[in-house]
Amino acid sequence: AQRVTQPEKLLSVFKGAPVELKCNYSYSGSPELFWYVQYSRQRLQLLLRHISRESIKGFTADLNKGETSFHLKKPFAQEEDSAMYYCALSVGAGNMLTFGGGTRLMVKP
Amino acid sequence: GAVVSQHPSWVICKSGTSVKIECRSLDFQATTMFWYRQFPKQSLMLMATSNEGSKATYEQGVEKDKFLINHASLTLSTLTVTSAHPEDSSFYICSAPFVSDTQYFGPGTRLTVL
């Protein structure tokens, strides 16, 4: 069965510092990887997906199949980036998502 | 953009009663919807896949007789927690795929069983 691991429950950085939220997955096939974000008192929303290969709000993530990782990065963190970030994996048809445990990002002024 | 709503947003019930939670896709049709459960400070765990016009598919360890799912139309799926107990207290979240199979999530329903 597939599994997603986010090793850090909490990541605290200062404004302007680089950010990297780690995500590792285990799946023998070719999964689709996502990052979802949940701001305070808001619903979960898609931040980015690996097949899009785009940058959203300054965040990027590259799928590394060799290391089975999909780390989320941003060169300069902003206070408004403070939120809960979930890495998720989808396999095959059906689109069901397997979520990692989540990382709370706190950006301090 | 696609919007998914849930009703109610918060429900408190007595132990032994049943509670129904609705998930609606407001501006699109969804033949499939997903139900997740999220305990405090934990991640989302997929409970079941709701299929319009057919039976739901439950994840391992989820009791189908306790968590009844009905996908009555292309815009509505309901989750009924039967004979609720305090351990069922949780945050229940639904999602539906739209355009490029992107999942859109509802705001969640907080269930508190006394």
Short mmCIF file of all heavy atoms in Angstrom, two decimals, chain B residues 31-99:
data_model
loop_
_atom_site.label_atom_id
_atom_site.label_comp_id
_atom_site.label_asym_id
_atom_site.label_seq_id
_atom_site.Cartn_x
_atom_site.Cartn_y
_atom_site.Cartn_z
N THR B 31 -19.59 12.36 -9.95
CA THR B 31 -20.03 10.97 -9.86
C THR B 31 -19.33 10.27 -8.72
O THR B 31 -19.77 9.23 -8.25
CB THR B 31 -19.72 10.22 -11.17
OG1 THR B 31 -18.33 10.35 -11.46
CG2 THR B 31 -20.51 10.81 -12.32
N THR B 32 -18.24 10.84 -8.29
CA THR B 32 -17.49 10.28 -7.17
C THR B 32 -17.21 11.37 -6.15
O THR B 32 -16.87 12.50 -6.52
CB THR B 32 -16.14 9.69 -7.65
OG1 THR B 32 -16.39 8.70 -8.63
CG2 THR B 32 -15.38 9.07 -6.49
N MET B 33 -17.37 11.04 -4.90
CA MET B 33 -16.98 11.93 -3.81
C MET B 33 -16.24 11.09 -2.78
O MET B 33 -16.39 9.87 -2.73
CB MET B 33 -18.19 12.60 -3.18
CG MET B 33 -18.89 13.60 -4.08
SD MET B 33 -20.27 14.40 -3.22
CE MET B 33 -20.81 15.58 -4.46
N PHE B 34 -15.45 11.74 -1.99
CA PHE B 34 -14.64 11.04 -1.01
C PHE B 34 -14.94 11.58 0.39
O PHE B 34 -15.14 12.78 0.57
CB PHE B 34 -13.15 11.21 -1.31
CG PHE B 34 -12.75 10.67 -2.65
CD1 PHE B 34 -12.70 11.50 -3.76
CD2 PHE B 34 -12.44 9.33 -2.82
CE1 PHE B 34 -12.36 11.01 -5.01
CE2 PHE B 34 -12.09 8.83 -4.06
CZ PHE B 34 -12.05 9.67 -5.16
N TRP B 35 -14.94 10.67 1.35
CA TRP B 35 -15.14 11.05 2.75
C TRP B 35 -13.87 10.76 3.55
O TRP B 35 -13.33 9.66 3.48
CB TRP B 35 -16.32 10.30 3.35
CG TRP B 35 -17.64 10.80 2.87
CD1 TRP B 35 -18.41 10.30 1.85
CD2 TRP B 35 -18.35 11.93 3.37
NE1 TRP B 35 -19.54 11.05 1.71
CE2 TRP B 35 -19.54 12.06 2.62
CE3 TRP B 35 -18.11 12.86 4.39
CZ2 TRP B 35 -20.48 13.06 2.86
CZ3 TRP B 35 -19.04 13.85 4.63
CH2 TRP B 35 -20.22 13.95 3.86
N TYR B 36 -13.44 11.78 4.29
CA TYR B 36 -12.25 11.66 5.12
C TYR B 36 -12.62 11.95 6.57
O TYR B 36 -13.59 12.65 6.87
CB TYR B 36 -11.18 12.68 4.70
CG TYR B 36 -10.63 12.48 3.30
CD1 TYR B 36 -11.28 13.01 2.19
CD2 TYR B 36 -9.44 11.79 3.09
CE1 TYR B 36 -10.77 12.84 0.91
CE2 TYR B 36 -8.92 11.61 1.81
CZ TYR B 36 -9.60 12.14 0.74
OH TYR B 36 -9.09 11.98 -0.52
N ARG B 37 -11.80 11.43 7.46
CA ARG B 37 -11.95 11.74 8.88
C ARG B 37 -10.62 12.30 9.37
O ARG B 37 -9.55 11.82 8.97
CB ARG B 37 -12.32 10.48 9.66
CG ARG B 37 -12.56 10.70 11.14
CD ARG B 37 -13.25 9.52 11.77
NE ARG B 37 -12.57 8.27 11.52
CZ ARG B 37 -13.04 7.08 11.88
NH1 ARG B 37 -14.20 6.99 12.49
NH2 ARG B 37 -12.36 5.99 11.63
N GLN B 38 -10.72 13.32 10.19
CA GLN B 38 -9.51 13.94 10.71
C GLN B 38 -9.65 14.11 12.21
O GLN B 38 -10.49 14.89 12.68
CB GLN B 38 -9.27 15.29 10.03
CG GLN B 38 -7.98 15.96 10.44
CD GLN B 38 -7.75 17.27 9.70
OE1 GLN B 38 -8.69 17.98 9.34
NE2 GLN B 38 -6.49 17.60 9.46
N PHE B 39 -8.83 13.39 12.96
CA PHE B 39 -8.81 13.56 14.41
C PHE B 39 -7.93 14.75 14.75
O PHE B 39 -7.08 15.15 13.95
CB PHE B 39 -8.31 12.29 15.09
CG PHE B 39 -9.29 11.14 14.98
CD1 PHE B 39 -9.04 10.06 14.15
CD2 PHE B 39 -10.47 11.15 15.71
CE1 PHE B 39 -9.95 9.02 14.04
CE2 PHE B 39 -11.38 10.11 15.61
CZ PHE B 39 -11.12 9.04 14.76
N PRO B 40 -8.12 15.32 15.95
CA PRO B 40 -7.35 16.52 16.32
C PRO B 40 -5.85 16.33 16.14
O PRO B 40 -5.28 15.32 16.56
CB PRO B 40 -7.72 16.72 17.78
CG PRO B 40 -9.08 16.12 17.91
CD PRO B 40 -9.07 14.93 16.99
N LYS B 41 -5.26 17.29 15.49
CA LYS B 41 -3.81 17.32 15.27
C LYS B 41 -3.31 16.11 14.49
O LYS B 41 -2.14 15.74 14.60
CB LYS B 41 -3.06 17.45 16.61
CG LYS B 41 -3.39 18.75 17.35
CD LYS B 41 -2.57 18.91 18.59
CE LYS B 41 -2.92 20.25 19.26
NZ LYS B 41 -2.17 20.48 20.51
N GLN B 42 -4.19 15.50 13.72
CA GLN B 42 -3.77 14.39 12.87
C GLN B 42 -4.14 14.69 11.43
O GLN B 42 -4.83 15.65 11.13
CB GLN B 42 -4.43 13.09 13.34
CG GLN B 42 -3.99 12.61 14.71
CD GLN B 42 -4.51 11.23 15.03
OE1 GLN B 42 -4.76 10.43 14.15
NE2 GLN B 42 -4.68 10.96 16.31
N SER B 43 -3.67 13.84 10.55
CA SER B 43 -3.91 14.05 9.14
C SER B 43 -5.28 13.50 8.73
O SER B 43 -5.99 12.91 9.52
CB SER B 43 -2.81 13.36 8.34
OG SER B 43 -2.94 13.69 6.97
N LEU B 44 -5.61 13.71 7.47
CA LEU B 44 -6.86 13.19 6.94
C LEU B 44 -6.70 11.71 6.59
O LEU B 44 -5.72 11.31 5.97
CB LEU B 44 -7.26 13.93 5.66
CG LEU B 44 -7.80 15.35 5.81
CD1 LEU B 44 -6.67 16.33 6.02
CD2 LEU B 44 -8.62 15.73 4.59
N MET B 45 -7.69 10.93 6.98
CA MET B 45 -7.69 9.51 6.65
C MET B 45 -8.91 9.22 5.77
O MET B 45 -10.03 9.52 6.15
CB MET B 45 -7.75 8.67 7.92
CG MET B 45 -6.55 8.82 8.82
SD MET B 45 -5.05 8.15 8.07
CE MET B 45 -5.45 6.41 8.04
N LEU B 46 -8.67 8.65 4.62
CA LEU B 46 -9.76 8.32 3.72
C LEU B 46 -10.63 7.24 4.34
O LEU B 46 -10.12 6.21 4.78
CB LEU B 46 -9.22 7.85 2.37
CG LEU B 46 -10.26 7.43 1.33
CD1 LEU B 46 -11.07 8.64 0.88
CD2 LEU B 46 -9.59 6.78 0.13
N MET B 47 -11.93 7.50 4.39
CA MET B 47 -12.86 6.52 4.93
C MET B 47 -13.49 5.70 3.81
O MET B 47 -13.58 4.48 3.90
CB MET B 47 -13.98 7.22 5.71
CG MET B 47 -13.53 8.00 6.91
SD MET B 47 -14.91 8.86 7.67
CE MET B 47 -15.92 7.50 8.23
N ALA B 48 -13.97 6.40 2.80
CA ALA B 48 -14.71 5.70 1.76
C ALA B 48 -14.84 6.55 0.52
O ALA B 48 -14.69 7.78 0.57
CB ALA B 48 -16.10 5.33 2.27
N THR B 49 -15.10 5.87 -0.57
CA THR B 49 -15.38 6.52 -1.85
C THR B 49 -16.87 6.38 -2.12
O THR B 49 -17.39 5.25 -2.13
CB THR B 49 -14.57 5.86 -2.98
OG1 THR B 49 -13.18 5.93 -2.66
CG2 THR B 49 -14.83 6.56 -4.30
N SER B 50 -17.52 7.50 -2.33
CA SER B 50 -18.94 7.52 -2.59
C SER B 50 -19.17 7.53 -4.09
O SER B 50 -18.63 8.38 -4.80
CB SER B 50 -19.55 8.78 -1.94
OG SER B 50 -20.90 8.92 -2.26
N ASN B 51 -19.95 6.59 -4.58
CA ASN B 51 -20.18 6.45 -6.02
C ASN B 51 -21.65 6.68 -6.35
O ASN B 51 -22.52 5.99 -5.79
CB ASN B 51 -19.77 5.05 -6.48
CG ASN B 51 -18.33 4.72 -6.14
OD1 ASN B 51 -17.41 5.39 -6.58
ND2 ASN B 51 -18.14 3.70 -5.32
N GLU B 52 -21.91 7.62 -7.22
CA GLU B 52 -23.30 7.92 -7.59
C GLU B 52 -23.93 6.72 -8.27
O GLU B 52 -23.37 6.17 -9.22
CB GLU B 52 -23.33 9.14 -8.51
CG GLU B 52 -24.73 9.69 -8.77
CD GLU B 52 -25.38 9.04 -9.98
OE1 GLU B 52 -24.66 8.57 -10.88
OE2 GLU B 52 -26.62 9.02 -10.03
N GLY B 53 -25.04 6.28 -7.76
CA GLY B 53 -25.77 5.18 -8.36
C GLY B 53 -25.30 3.80 -8.00
O GLY B 53 -25.84 2.81 -8.51
N SER B 54 -24.30 3.71 -7.17
CA SER B 54 -23.82 2.38 -6.76
C SER B 54 -23.30 2.44 -5.32
O SER B 54 -23.28 3.49 -4.70
CB SER B 54 -22.73 1.87 -7.69
OG SER B 54 -21.60 2.71 -7.64
N LYS B 55 -22.90 1.28 -4.83
CA LYS B 55 -22.46 1.22 -3.43
C LYS B 55 -21.14 1.94 -3.23
O LYS B 55 -20.30 1.99 -4.12
CB LYS B 55 -22.31 -0.25 -3.00
CG LYS B 55 -23.63 -1.01 -2.92
CD LYS B 55 -23.38 -2.43 -2.46
CE LYS B 55 -24.70 -3.19 -2.34
NZ LYS B 55 -24.49 -4.60 -1.88
N ALA B 56 -20.99 2.43 -2.01
CA ALA B 56 -19.74 3.07 -1.66
C ALA B 56 -18.64 2.03 -1.47
O ALA B 56 -18.92 0.86 -1.17
CB ALA B 56 -19.92 3.88 -0.38
N THR B 57 -17.42 2.47 -1.65
CA THR B 57 -16.26 1.61 -1.43
C THR B 57 -15.57 2.07 -0.15
O THR B 57 -15.15 3.21 -0.05
CB THR B 57 -15.27 1.72 -2.60
OG1 THR B 57 -15.96 1.45 -3.82
CG2 THR B 57 -14.13 0.74 -2.43
N TYR B 58 -15.47 1.17 0.81
CA TYR B 58 -14.92 1.53 2.11
C TYR B 58 -13.46 1.11 2.23
O TYR B 58 -13.06 0.07 1.72
CB TYR B 58 -15.74 0.88 3.23
CG TYR B 58 -17.13 1.45 3.35
CD1 TYR B 58 -18.17 1.02 2.53
CD2 TYR B 58 -17.40 2.43 4.30
CE1 TYR B 58 -19.44 1.57 2.64
CE2 TYR B 58 -18.67 2.97 4.43
CZ TYR B 58 -19.68 2.54 3.59
OH TYR B 58 -20.93 3.09 3.69
N GLU B 59 -12.71 1.92 2.95
CA GLU B 59 -11.32 1.58 3.23
C GLU B 59 -11.27 0.52 4.32
O GLU B 59 -12.21 0.36 5.12
CB GLU B 59 -10.56 2.82 3.64
CG GLU B 59 -10.43 3.86 2.53
CD GLU B 59 -9.73 3.31 1.29
OE1 GLU B 59 -8.55 2.92 1.40
OE2 GLU B 59 -10.37 3.28 0.22
N GLN B 60 -10.16 -0.17 4.34
CA GLN B 60 -9.99 -1.23 5.34
C GLN B 60 -10.12 -0.66 6.73
O GLN B 60 -9.53 0.38 7.05
CB GLN B 60 -8.62 -1.88 5.15
CG GLN B 60 -8.44 -3.17 5.91
CD GLN B 60 -7.13 -3.87 5.54
OE1 GLN B 60 -6.27 -3.29 4.89
NE2 GLN B 60 -6.98 -5.10 5.97
N GLY B 61 -10.89 -1.34 7.56
CA GLY B 61 -11.04 -0.92 8.94
C GLY B 61 -12.21 0.02 9.17
O GLY B 61 -12.51 0.34 10.32
N VAL B 62 -12.86 0.46 8.13
CA VAL B 62 -14.02 1.34 8.27
C VAL B 62 -15.28 0.51 8.18
O VAL B 62 -15.49 -0.21 7.20
CB VAL B 62 -14.03 2.43 7.17
CG1 VAL B 62 -15.26 3.31 7.32
CG2 VAL B 62 -12.76 3.26 7.24
N GLU B 63 -16.12 0.59 9.22
CA GLU B 63 -17.32 -0.22 9.26
C GLU B 63 -18.42 0.37 8.37
O GLU B 63 -18.94 1.45 8.65
CB GLU B 63 -17.84 -0.29 10.70
CG GLU B 63 -16.86 -0.88 11.69
CD GLU B 63 -17.40 -0.79 13.11
OE1 GLU B 63 -18.49 -1.32 13.36
OE2 GLU B 63 -16.74 -0.15 13.96
N LYS B 64 -18.79 -0.35 7.35
CA LYS B 64 -19.78 0.17 6.42
C LYS B 64 -21.16 0.25 7.03
O LYS B 64 -21.99 1.06 6.61
CB LYS B 64 -19.82 -0.67 5.14
CG LYS B 64 -20.19 -2.12 5.35
CD LYS B 64 -20.17 -2.86 4.02
CE LYS B 64 -20.56 -4.32 4.21
NZ LYS B 64 -20.54 -5.07 2.91
N ASP B 65 -21.45 -0.58 8.02
CA ASP B 65 -22.76 -0.52 8.66
C ASP B 65 -22.86 0.63 9.65
O ASP B 65 -23.95 1.02 10.05
CB ASP B 65 -23.06 -1.84 9.38
CG ASP B 65 -23.20 -2.99 8.40
OD1 ASP B 65 -23.64 -2.74 7.26
OD2 ASP B 65 -22.87 -4.13 8.77
N LYS B 66 -21.72 1.13 10.06
CA LYS B 66 -21.71 2.25 10.99
C LYS B 66 -21.69 3.58 10.25
O LYS B 66 -22.31 4.55 10.67
CB LYS B 66 -20.51 2.15 11.91
CG LYS B 66 -20.47 3.29 12.93
CD LYS B 66 -19.47 3.04 14.00
CE LYS B 66 -19.54 4.15 15.04
NZ LYS B 66 -20.87 4.19 15.71
N PHE B 67 -20.97 3.62 9.18
CA PHE B 67 -20.84 4.84 8.38
C PHE B 67 -21.54 4.60 7.04
O PHE B 67 -20.94 4.15 6.07
CB PHE B 67 -19.38 5.20 8.18
CG PHE B 67 -18.64 5.48 9.46
CD1 PHE B 67 -17.83 4.51 10.04
CD2 PHE B 67 -18.75 6.72 10.09
CE1 PHE B 67 -17.15 4.76 11.23
CE2 PHE B 67 -18.08 6.98 11.27
CZ PHE B 67 -17.28 6.00 11.85
N LEU B 68 -22.82 4.92 7.01
CA LEU B 68 -23.64 4.69 5.83
C LEU B 68 -23.47 5.85 4.84
O LEU B 68 -23.62 7.00 5.20
CB LEU B 68 -25.11 4.57 6.22
CG LEU B 68 -25.45 3.42 7.18
CD1 LEU B 68 -26.94 3.44 7.51
CD2 LEU B 68 -25.04 2.08 6.61
N ILE B 69 -23.16 5.48 3.62
CA ILE B 69 -22.96 6.50 2.59
C ILE B 69 -23.97 6.32 1.49
O ILE B 69 -24.16 5.21 0.98
CB ILE B 69 -21.52 6.44 2.03
CG1 ILE B 69 -20.53 6.89 3.11
CG2 ILE B 69 -21.38 7.30 0.79
CD1 ILE B 69 -19.09 6.70 2.72
N ASN B 70 -24.60 7.42 1.11
CA ASN B 70 -25.57 7.40 0.03
C ASN B 70 -25.26 8.53 -0.94
O ASN B 70 -25.19 9.68 -0.54
CB ASN B 70 -26.99 7.57 0.60
CG ASN B 70 -28.04 7.50 -0.49
OD1 ASN B 70 -27.83 6.85 -1.52
ND2 ASN B 70 -29.16 8.15 -0.30
N HIS B 71 -25.05 8.16 -2.17
CA HIS B 71 -24.75 9.18 -3.20
C HIS B 71 -25.99 9.30 -4.08
O HIS B 71 -26.09 8.71 -5.15
CB HIS B 71 -23.53 8.72 -4.02
CG HIS B 71 -22.82 9.81 -4.74
ND1 HIS B 71 -21.45 9.93 -4.73
CD2 HIS B 71 -23.28 10.82 -5.51
CE1 HIS B 71 -21.09 10.98 -5.46
NE2 HIS B 71 -22.18 11.53 -5.94
N ALA B 72 -26.94 10.08 -3.59
CA ALA B 72 -28.28 10.09 -4.17
C ALA B 72 -28.35 10.79 -5.52
O ALA B 72 -29.22 10.46 -6.33
CB ALA B 72 -29.24 10.77 -3.19
N SER B 73 -27.48 11.74 -5.75
CA SER B 73 -27.52 12.46 -7.02
C SER B 73 -26.10 12.86 -7.40
O SER B 73 -25.16 12.61 -6.66
CB SER B 73 -28.40 13.71 -6.90
OG SER B 73 -27.74 14.70 -6.14
N LEU B 74 -25.97 13.50 -8.53
CA LEU B 74 -24.64 13.89 -9.01
C LEU B 74 -24.07 15.07 -8.24
O LEU B 74 -22.94 15.49 -8.49
CB LEU B 74 -24.70 14.22 -10.50
CG LEU B 74 -24.87 13.02 -11.42
CD1 LEU B 74 -25.14 13.47 -12.86
CD2 LEU B 74 -23.63 12.12 -11.38
N THR B 75 -24.85 15.62 -7.32
CA THR B 75 -24.35 16.75 -6.54
C THR B 75 -24.45 16.54 -5.04
O THR B 75 -24.14 17.44 -4.26
CB THR B 75 -25.12 18.04 -6.90
OG1 THR B 75 -26.51 17.84 -6.63
CG2 THR B 75 -24.92 18.41 -8.36
N LEU B 76 -24.87 15.37 -4.62
CA LEU B 76 -25.08 15.16 -3.19
C LEU B 76 -24.64 13.78 -2.74
O LEU B 76 -25.04 12.76 -3.30
CB LEU B 76 -26.56 15.35 -2.83
CG LEU B 76 -26.98 15.00 -1.39
CD1 LEU B 76 -26.29 15.93 -0.40
CD2 LEU B 76 -28.49 15.08 -1.25
N SER B 77 -23.82 13.76 -1.70
CA SER B 77 -23.47 12.53 -1.02
C SER B 77 -23.71 12.76 0.47
O SER B 77 -23.44 13.85 1.00
CB SER B 77 -22.00 12.17 -1.25
OG SER B 77 -21.63 11.05 -0.46
N THR B 78 -24.25 11.73 1.13
CA THR B 78 -24.48 11.87 2.56
C THR B 78 -23.74 10.78 3.33
O THR B 78 -23.62 9.64 2.85
CB THR B 78 -25.98 11.79 2.91
OG1 THR B 78 -26.50 10.54 2.48
CG2 THR B 78 -26.75 12.92 2.25
N LEU B 79 -23.27 11.15 4.49
CA LEU B 79 -22.61 10.21 5.40
C LEU B 79 -23.43 10.19 6.68
O LEU B 79 -23.63 11.24 7.30
CB LEU B 79 -21.19 10.67 5.70
CG LEU B 79 -20.45 9.96 6.84
CD1 LEU B 79 -20.16 8.51 6.46
CD2 LEU B 79 -19.14 10.68 7.19
N THR B 80 -23.93 9.03 7.03
CA THR B 80 -24.69 8.88 8.28
C THR B 80 -23.88 8.07 9.27
O THR B 80 -23.53 6.91 8.97
CB THR B 80 -26.05 8.21 8.02
OG1 THR B 80 -26.80 9.00 7.08
CG2 THR B 80 -26.84 8.09 9.31
N VAL B 81 -23.60 8.68 10.39
CA VAL B 81 -22.90 7.98 11.47
C VAL B 81 -23.99 7.37 12.34
O VAL B 81 -24.74 8.10 13.01
CB VAL B 81 -22.01 8.93 12.28
CG1 VAL B 81 -21.24 8.16 13.34
CG2 VAL B 81 -21.05 9.68 11.35
N THR B 82 -24.11 6.07 12.31
CA THR B 82 -25.19 5.42 13.05
C THR B 82 -24.72 5.04 14.46
O THR B 82 -23.56 4.72 14.68
CB THR B 82 -25.64 4.14 12.33
OG1 THR B 82 -24.54 3.23 12.25
CG2 THR B 82 -26.12 4.46 10.92
N SER B 83 -25.65 5.14 15.39
CA SER B 83 -25.36 4.81 16.79
C SER B 83 -24.01 5.40 17.21
O SER B 83 -23.07 4.67 17.57
CB SER B 83 -25.35 3.29 16.98
OG SER B 83 -25.23 2.96 18.35
N ALA B 84 -23.94 6.69 17.11
CA ALA B 84 -22.67 7.38 17.36
C ALA B 84 -22.23 7.22 18.81
O ALA B 84 -23.04 7.19 19.73
CB ALA B 84 -22.80 8.86 17.02
N HIS B 85 -20.93 7.12 18.99
CA HIS B 85 -20.32 7.03 20.31
C HIS B 85 -19.23 8.08 20.42
O HIS B 85 -18.76 8.61 19.40
CB HIS B 85 -19.76 5.63 20.53
CG HIS B 85 -20.82 4.59 20.66
ND1 HIS B 85 -21.55 4.42 21.82
CD2 HIS B 85 -21.31 3.69 19.78
CE1 HIS B 85 -22.43 3.46 21.65
NE2 HIS B 85 -22.31 2.99 20.43
N PRO B 86 -18.81 8.41 21.62
CA PRO B 86 -17.80 9.46 21.79
C PRO B 86 -16.55 9.27 20.94
O PRO B 86 -15.96 10.24 20.48
CB PRO B 86 -17.49 9.40 23.29
CG PRO B 86 -18.77 8.94 23.91
CD PRO B 86 -19.34 7.96 22.93
N GLU B 87 -16.17 8.03 20.70
CA GLU B 87 -14.96 7.80 19.90
C GLU B 87 -15.16 8.17 18.43
O GLU B 87 -14.18 8.21 17.66
CB GLU B 87 -14.50 6.34 20.01
CG GLU B 87 -15.53 5.31 19.65
CD GLU B 87 -16.30 4.80 20.86
OE1 GLU B 87 -16.48 5.55 21.84
OE2 GLU B 87 -16.74 3.63 20.80
N ASP B 88 -16.42 8.39 18.02
CA ASP B 88 -16.69 8.83 16.65
C ASP B 88 -16.53 10.34 16.51
O ASP B 88 -16.60 10.87 15.38
CB ASP B 88 -18.11 8.44 16.23
CG ASP B 88 -18.32 6.93 16.24
OD1 ASP B 88 -17.37 6.20 15.88
OD2 ASP B 88 -19.42 6.48 16.62
N SER B 89 -16.34 11.01 17.61
CA SER B 89 -16.14 12.47 17.55
C SER B 89 -14.91 12.76 16.72
O SER B 89 -13.82 12.25 16.99
CB SER B 89 -15.98 13.04 18.96
OG SER B 89 -17.14 12.82 19.74
N SER B 90 -15.10 13.59 15.72
CA SER B 90 -14.01 13.86 14.79
C SER B 90 -14.44 14.96 13.84
O SER B 90 -15.54 15.48 13.93
CB SER B 90 -13.67 12.58 14.02
OG SER B 90 -12.51 12.76 13.21
N PHE B 91 -13.55 15.28 12.94
CA PHE B 91 -13.83 16.24 11.87
C PHE B 91 -14.00 15.41 10.60
O PHE B 91 -13.10 14.66 10.22
CB PHE B 91 -12.65 17.21 11.75
CG PHE B 91 -12.98 18.52 11.12
CD1 PHE B 91 -14.00 19.31 11.60
CD2 PHE B 91 -12.24 18.98 10.03
CE1 PHE B 91 -14.30 20.54 11.02
CE2 PHE B 91 -12.53 20.20 9.45
CZ PHE B 91 -13.55 20.98 9.93
N TYR B 92 -15.16 15.52 9.96
CA TYR B 92 -15.44 14.75 8.76
C TYR B 92 -15.40 15.70 7.55
O TYR B 92 -16.08 16.73 7.54
CB TYR B 92 -16.79 14.04 8.86
CG TYR B 92 -16.78 12.96 9.91
CD1 TYR B 92 -17.07 13.26 11.24
CD2 TYR B 92 -16.45 11.64 9.58
CE1 TYR B 92 -17.04 12.26 12.22
CE2 TYR B 92 -16.42 10.65 10.55
CZ TYR B 92 -16.71 10.97 11.86
OH TYR B 92 -16.66 9.99 12.83
N ILE B 93 -14.63 15.32 6.56
CA ILE B 93 -14.41 16.19 5.41
C ILE B 93 -14.71 15.41 4.14
O ILE B 93 -14.33 14.24 4.01
CB ILE B 93 -12.95 16.68 5.35
CG1 ILE B 93 -12.58 17.42 6.64
CG2 ILE B 93 -12.72 17.58 4.15
CD1 ILE B 93 -11.10 17.72 6.77
N CYS B 94 -15.39 16.06 3.21
CA CYS B 94 -15.63 15.41 1.93
C CYS B 94 -14.89 16.16 0.83
O CYS B 94 -14.49 17.31 1.00
CB CYS B 94 -17.12 15.35 1.60
SG CYS B 94 -17.85 16.95 1.18
N SER B 95 -14.68 15.47 -0.29
CA SER B 95 -14.06 16.11 -1.44
C SER B 95 -14.67 15.55 -2.71
O SER B 95 -15.27 14.46 -2.71
CB SER B 95 -12.54 15.89 -1.45
OG SER B 95 -12.22 14.56 -1.81
N ALA B 96 -14.54 16.31 -3.77
CA ALA B 96 -15.03 15.87 -5.08
C ALA B 96 -14.04 16.32 -6.13
O ALA B 96 -13.49 17.42 -6.06
CB ALA B 96 -16.41 16.46 -5.35
N PRO B 97 -13.82 15.50 -7.14
CA PRO B 97 -12.87 15.87 -8.19
C PRO B 97 -13.56 16.72 -9.26
O PRO B 97 -14.72 16.52 -9.60
CB PRO B 97 -12.45 14.53 -8.77
CG PRO B 97 -13.62 13.64 -8.54
CD PRO B 97 -14.28 14.11 -7.28
N PHE B 98 -12.81 17.67 -9.81
CA PHE B 98 -13.33 18.55 -10.87
C PHE B 98 -12.19 19.04 -11.72
O PHE B 98 -11.15 19.42 -11.19
CB PHE B 98 -14.06 19.74 -10.25
CG PHE B 98 -14.58 20.73 -11.25
CD1 PHE B 98 -15.64 20.40 -12.08
CD2 PHE B 98 -14.01 21.99 -11.36
CE1 PHE B 98 -16.12 21.31 -13.00
CE2 PHE B 98 -14.48 22.91 -12.29
CZ PHE B 98 -15.55 22.58 -13.11
N VAL B 99 -12.32 19.02 -12.99
CA VAL B 99 -11.33 19.51 -13.96
C VAL B 99 -9.93 19.03 -13.64
O VAL B 99 -9.35 19.39 -12.62
CB VAL B 99 -11.34 21.04 -14.07
CG1 VAL B 99 -10.29 21.49 -15.08
CG2 VAL B 99 -12.71 21.54 -14.45
#
